[in-house]
Amino acid sequence: MRARLARAARAPRLLASIFLTSAQRDVAFRGELMAATAFTTLTTVGTIVTIAAVFTHVDALAGRSAGEAVVIVGTFLVINGFLSCFVEPNVELFATTQVLRGGLDDVLLKPVPSLFLATLGKSRPRALVDTVVGVGVVVAAVATGGDGVTPAGVALWLAMVAVGLLVAWALRVALAVGAFWAPGLETAVFFQSVWQLGRFPVAVYAPWLRLLLTYVVPMALVATVPARALTGHAGGAVVVGAAGLAALSVVVVRALWHAGLRQYTSATS
Amino acid sequence: MTSVAEPVPSTAPVPGRHLRLVWEYSRLNYLKWLAGASWVFTLVLFRVVPPLMGLAIWSSALPGRTDISTYFVALLVVRLVTVSYENHTLSTAIFTGELTDRILKPHPAVLSTLGENVAMRALHVVLALPILVAVALLVPVELRAVDVAAAVPAVLLAAALRFLFTYALALTGFWTVRAHAIVEGGGVLALFLGGEAAPVPLMPDGVRAVLEVLPFRAMLGFPAEVASGLYTGSLAAGLALQLAWIAVFGVLARWAWVRGIRQYQAVGA
């Protein structure tokens, strides 16, 4: 137990080292960083122009104001940036390189929790461009129209973003872990399709989808709930519920991971 | 020892030979990708989600308008029929040197790329049929036979235009390793400026005037607008614009191919 706790305590330092090493490597490819920046800027401008187009016709989109919709886009980008930086490089080819070809053996033999190394062992720091742009978008939205934003709201937003990060990690890893039972089926494209749903207020979707995205596949926790927290519309119950759901998703993912590992028999399965 | 002279195959142009070659390549690639149908299905989902998101957003903003919901359902079909992955087929072939294989064959190299493209589109439509049926049943769709008939040439021209557009962008692979990013960027432009995120008729006036002239709407939103009745201009003018852009990208692709192949060195840019 103490050994386990000691290993877990090393995780933040390990993550920092992984990040810094990857950053050193990424800095050598400045062209990639410029391409990533251009792409994110293009997509963000496009999304905001779409929202602007919607709001030339109406004053509220499913009860949300234009500012709140833009905050959702910004928050989504913040979390997307972290996900693309810390998690995506590890799981994008999980099914083929790790499970099917036995790359997981390397991970399992290291003296680090396997779930940590398999999902956070590599970083792609240039993807943090998304986070930077996202923060910029949120700040701009608040600066131009944020009457209801208080320091408490900002603190709550930060807390909900952390919760959203946990949920995003859990969703991505839960999907990737399916590779243990369906070897070779890459889930990166499927995840991206569902992930895009978080870009807009969950309230625009049909009621059944809204329920699905709030309680079963908690995409709502990724961007909609933090945005509500920032504008002061999220009550204590929502915050506590969100934190609870995040904790639950981490537990579920850990269980899935260990169940998957029991199935795993290296490259000759 | 007598030797029987092998009849030398005639190199005289046979009418319809190119068409037959494209058909053979399509058949070959269709069967090849059918084997990986579960993965192609994830690609289908990736293509299907943005129009459905657009549907959710605009139905939420402007409820009760069947022309808008019909537009997005038609857009779904158009998107599947115009799907183009030349950055993955052609650009990758350039980078890995596999292009050599293609240019050594006794027919223009574009035929194999065209065959792959047609096969992918056919497979997308086939795999998406359950989704299309479900969407047509659940979403209020109002189609007039005359609109659908008018949309058929528009869809065919849009399919040709999208292919030439993506093909021309993919040819940048002769000069830069960032061909994937360039093609993805083109795809993002088509998404936002072509009517997938927001129907062009619903864009603000100044923006709409520009978008109506650009190729993106011609390759994506225009056929859907015609089919749903959102298009209020002259059909002949719309089709003429599509033909004009086809000519532009056709010339561009040809120019890029001739310049690029001259400096192709069998193992990438």
Side-chain angles (χ1 to χ4, degrees):
Chain A
M1 184 63 189
R2 265 181 58 184
R4 238 197 204 168
L5 281 174
R7 278 205 301 267
R10 279 190 299 209
R13 251 183 47 194
L14 192 55
L15 193 60
S17 310
I18 292 168
F19 180 76
L20 287 171
T21 323
S22 307
Q24 276 181 331
R25 191 192 58 215
D26 252 14
V27 154
F29 295 97
R30 272 182 289 258
E32 295 286 336
L33 181 63
M34 282 182 351
T37 313
F39 195 81
T40 302
T41 313
L42 194 64
T43 325
T44 310
V45 166
T47 315
I48 292 177
V49 164
T50 306
I51 293 174
V54 172
F55 280 91
T56 58
H57 296 270
V58 292
D59 288 325
L61 180 63
R64 310 284 181 265
S65 66
E68 197 171 332
V70 174
V71 167
I72 289 177
V73 169
T75 313
F76 179 82
L77 275 174
V78 168
I79 294 185
N80 191 46
F82 279 118
L83 194 70
S84 307
C85 171
F86 290 106
V87 184
E88 201 62 34
N90 300 289
V91 291
E92 58 192 357
L93 291 171
F94 185 75
T96 38
T97 58
Q98 303 292 82
V99 176
L100 204 62
R101 296 192 200 142
L104 209 51
D105 295 352
D106 219 12
V107 168
L108 294 172
L109 288 172
K110 300 262 190 325
V112 180
S114 60
L115 182 56
F116 173 84
L117 201 59
T119 59
L120 299 169
K122 281 192 292 223
S123 289
R124 191 181 291 153
R126 67 171 178 269
L128 285 180
V129 156
D130 280 27
T131 304
V132 171
V133 171
V135 169
V137 165
V138 171
V139 166
V142 166
T144 53
D147 305 323
V149 178
T150 61
V154 173
L156 208 55
W157 180 79
L158 286 168
M160 288 292 99
V161 163
V163 164
L165 279 171
L166 273 174
V167 168
W169 171 88
L171 286 172
R172 187 64 188 92
V173 173
L175 199 61
V177 160
F180 285 122
W181 291 275
L185 184 61
E186 288 294 354
T187 49
V189 175
F190 176 68
F191 177 77
Q192 277 304 315
S193 341
V194 179
W195 180 243
Q196 297 309 314
L197 294 174
R199 220 180 261 270
F200 289 97
V202 162
V204 302
Y205 304 121
W208 62 269
L209 188 57
R210 217 179 301 160
L211 281 173
L212 194 76
L213 292 178
T214 313
Y215 298 110
V216 179
V217 179
M219 290 290 308
L221 290 182
V222 168
T224 306
V225 169
R228 298 293 279 164
L230 182 66
T231 53
H233 289 116
V238 171
V239 171
V240 168
L245 253 174
L248 181 66
S249 40
V250 173
V251 167
V252 165
V253 166
R254 278 207 59 189
L256 276 173
W257 175 257
H258 289 294
L261 277 186
R262 282 195 287 275
Q263 297 265 21
Y264 178 69
T265 52
S266 187
T268 53
S269 41
Chain B
M1 191 157 123
T2 52
S3 61
V4 178
E6 287 278 340
V8 176
S10 163
T11 52
V14 175
R17 176 169 166 265
H18 286 181
L19 219 56
R20 206 171 58 84
L21 279 166
V22 171
W23 167 251
E24 290 299 328
Y25 275 119
S26 305
R27 225 169 50 100
L28 178 71
N29 282 285
Y30 183 87
L31 290 171
K32 187 180 90 171
W33 285 112
L34 194 63
S38 49
W39 182 74
V40 179
F41 186 69
T42 63
L43 289 179
V44 167
L45 283 177
F46 189 66
R47 296 299 169 203
V48 154
V49 166
L52 290 179
M53 274 175 66
L55 175 66
I57 292 163
W58 286 95
S59 300
S60 176
L62 302 168
R65 284 189 59 169
T66 40
D67 54 352
I68 290 184
S69 52
T70 310
Y71 169 83
F72 280 105
V73 174
L75 190 69
L76 205 55
V77 176
V78 173
R79 192 68 196 94
L80 292 168
V81 167
T82 60
V83 101
S84 294
Y85 295 107
E86 273 66 60
N87 54 329
H88 293 289
T89 54
L90 187 59
S91 305
T92 311
I94 296 174
F95 297 152
T96 58
E98 194 225 314
L99 189 69
T100 319
D101 234 3
R102 299 182 187 215
I103 57 180
L104 287 175
K105 294 209 163 52
H107 61 69
V110 69
L111 296 183
S112 59
T113 315
L114 189 54
E116 282 166 338
N117 185 287
V118 170
M120 254 312 188
R121 287 173 177 179
L123 193 55
H124 270 59
V125 171
V126 165
L127 291 178
L129 277 174
I131 300 175
L132 288 174
V133 167
V135 167
L137 289 174
L138 295 171
V139 174
V141 170
E142 234 175 60
L143 284 171
R144 297 188 314 158
V146 62
D147 288 336
V148 174
V152 168
V155 170
L156 292 171
L157 288 179
L161 178 57
R162 188 76 192 236
F163 171 73
L164 287 171
F165 173 72
T166 316
Y167 186 74
L169 287 182
L171 287 175
T172 56
F174 279 125
W175 296 278
T176 169
V177 293
R178 252 172 268 302
H180 278 264
I182 290 171
V183 174
E184 297 284 327
V188 168
L189 284 175
L191 193 149
F192 287 114
L193 306 179
E196 200 168 350
V200 171
L202 295 178
M203 292 290 233
D205 289 326
V207 176
R208 187 174 61 229
V210 174
L211 296 185
E212 282 174 354
V213 180
L214 290 178
F216 308 109
R217 184 232 206 168
M219 66 176 78
L220 194 55
F222 173 66
E225 286 174 42
V226 170
S228 61
L230 266 181
Y231 183 68
T232 48
S234 143
L235 180 67
L239 294 175
L241 185 69
Q242 285 182 306
L243 283 167
W245 279 114
I246 285 174
V248 167
F249 283 106
V251 166
L252 198 64
R254 177 79 191 141
W255 178 83
W257 173 264
V258 167
R259 295 291 301 272
I261 205 73
R262 245 179 247 161
Q263 52 138 81
Y264 174 66
Q265 288 175 35
V267 196

